[in-house]
Amino acid sequence: MIDYASFFQQELDNIRQQQRYRVFQKIERIAGQFPLAHWYPNADDSSLGSTSADDLDRREITLWCSNDYLGMGQHPDVIDAMQQAAGLYGSGAGGTRNIGGTHKPVVELEAELADLHNKEAALVFTSGYVSNDAAISSIAKLLPDCVILSDELNHASMIEGIRRSKAEKIIFRHNDIAHLEELLQQQPLHRPKLIVFESVYSMDADIAPIASITKLAKTYQAFTYIDEVHAVGMYGPRGGGVSEREGVADSIDLIEGTMAKAYGVMGGYVAGKRETIDAIRSTASGFIFTTTLPPSLAAAARCSIKHLKASRKERELQKVQVDSVKIQLSKAGIPMMPSETHIIPVAVCDAALCKKASDLLLEKHNIYIQPINYPTVPAGTERLRITPTPLHSDSDIDRLLKALVSVWRELNLPFTDSVVNPEVDRYRVAHS
């Protein structure tokens, strides 16, 4: 008899040995009280599934690592839109759009997204991962003899879409325009070329040179695909992302984004010219064979997008709090990695210590910041990833600072004004 379980157990043992085993904390957000949440330190998966939350030990904690960047998942108008749509249409979509038909809220959402990016059309998927995978693989298959030029730090969903396309792939060094041009020069001008990159890289907190990439794309007749998932809702006068902020959105052929981060709901999308979107709609298996986003989620997402198109106060207040956190951590000598964005990575550079730092913050200080270890980031560059929101108060920031300083001292981690960590230096040089 083949002992199949032993193969899986062996892999799990290897993952644990490498300090890569993922532990999912049992956390419940509290409606209307973000960034507060309840943490169940003694709960396991079975107890949460079968026991009333009131019967379990729980502690109130502060979330400092949520991708709900603006707290819109707690906005009363967004919640009301979701509840009203559920009351009108029910809980689900009834199947794929081919089988169950296209419901009104998702059509309205796509129109809202097209308008957000000043594009002719948009197409909604069930997640940002699916939209990247499906759209990239479809585009590359539709372009004859396509070659894909991909930034080396692109998200796993983009890498999967490239892999499934079976097109030739060439990797260019992260945000390296000279290297990208060198690679483009090696390709025949008449050959279809697809440049795929992100605007905000969520683990390094840096921003792509979008204008320079679009200029190269025009020169070398390349199709541009940008992932704006960590930027939509966050940047630009209406939240259209970094491409809108820099005035180059019209130069991008296809913009991909999500409703699951700054918009606080769920789902992914692409926006571009009508024929491009129609071709993806007609060929992408990740769209054709996936159940439609439920009406309640589509209505909530549209409400959030409309709100952030008109309101800048959430973005402005968040910037104030982000800057405050960066200043306070810098003064305390906490080793922040360079950040051009709302994301603040704090270098630990050791898998076991990164996990321990996260555990201590939660257990001793009631602060949750998840550890970011390999394979999400390269081994030796492990970090904590802090995401301040407009709903974090000044007192929250003060408690975060004191907690981090305490943990750094307890674990004997280096402060930037006392000990220079060579791993951090090498990482910064490589990504500067």
Side-chain angles (χ1 to χ4, degrees), residues 64-91:
W64 274 101
C65 56
S66 174
N67 283 345
D68 187 358
Y69 294 134
L70 299 177
M72 291 301 294
Q74 305 288 315
H75 196 286
D77 291 348
V78 176
I79 294 172
D80 184 59
M82 178 178 284
Q83 291 173 336
Q84 285 195 34
L88 283 171
Y89 303 104
S91 61

Side-chain angles (χ1 to χ4, degrees), residues 63 80 85 106 153 164 182 348 361 381:
L63 300 174
D80 184 59
V106 80
L153 293 189
R164 288 207 310 111
E182 178 186 332
V348 180
L361 285 168
T381 68

Side-chain angles (χ1 to χ4, degrees), residues 273-430:
K273 288 186 176 180
R274 194 171 307 281
E275 62 268 23
T276 306
I277 297 302
D278 201 10
I280 295 169
R281 182 190 70 86
S282 301
T283 62
S285 60
F287 172 80
I288 296 169
F289 300 107
T290 301
T291 298
T292 313
L293 202 69
S296 57
L297 292 180
R302 182 185 179 222
C303 176
S304 184
I305 294 163
K306 286 184 68 175
H307 176 88
L308 290 175
K309 280 181 180 177
S311 174
R312 299 188 182 188
K313 67 178 182 179
E314 290 84 2
R315 291 189 284 274
E316 292 171 353
L317 181 54
Q318 192 216 28
K319 187 178 186 307
V320 170
Q321 299 306 75
V322 168
D323 290 345
S324 177
V325 172
K326 288 179 178 179
I327 290 169
Q328 296 301 320
L329 295 187
S330 179
K331 286 181 179 179
I334 299 296
M336 291 181 295
M337 296 165 61
S339 170
E340 307 172 56
T341 71
H342 58 284
I343 299 165
I344 306 174
V346 173
V348 180
C349 299
D350 179 279
L353 289 175
C354 193
K355 176 66 167 61
K356 185 62 176 174
S358 176
D359 290 344
L360 286 174
L361 285 168
L362 188 56
E363 294 164 3
K364 288 193 172 184
H365 303 279
N366 296 320
I367 287 173
Y368 181 54
I369 308 173
Q370 88 280 26
I372 307 294
N373 289 349
Y374 177 84
T376 305
V377 296
T381 68
E382 293 81 8
R383 67 203 69 173
L384 301 175
R385 178 178 175 275
I386 300 171
T387 54
T389 75
L391 300 180
H392 284 98
S393 66
D394 292 342
S395 61
D396 289 331
I397 295 173
D398 184 60
R399 283 187 280 109
L400 171 68
L401 176 67
K402 291 177 180 177
L404 284 169
V405 169
S406 173
V407 167
W408 245 245
R409 287 173 176 164
E410 183 168 347
L411 296 180
N412 197 29
L413 292 169
F415 289 84
T416 55
D417 59 354
S418 57
V419 179
V420 176
N421 190 313
E423 286 294 340
V424 176
D425 280 352
R426 282 197 290 272
Y427 187 80
R428 285 176 173 167
V429 169

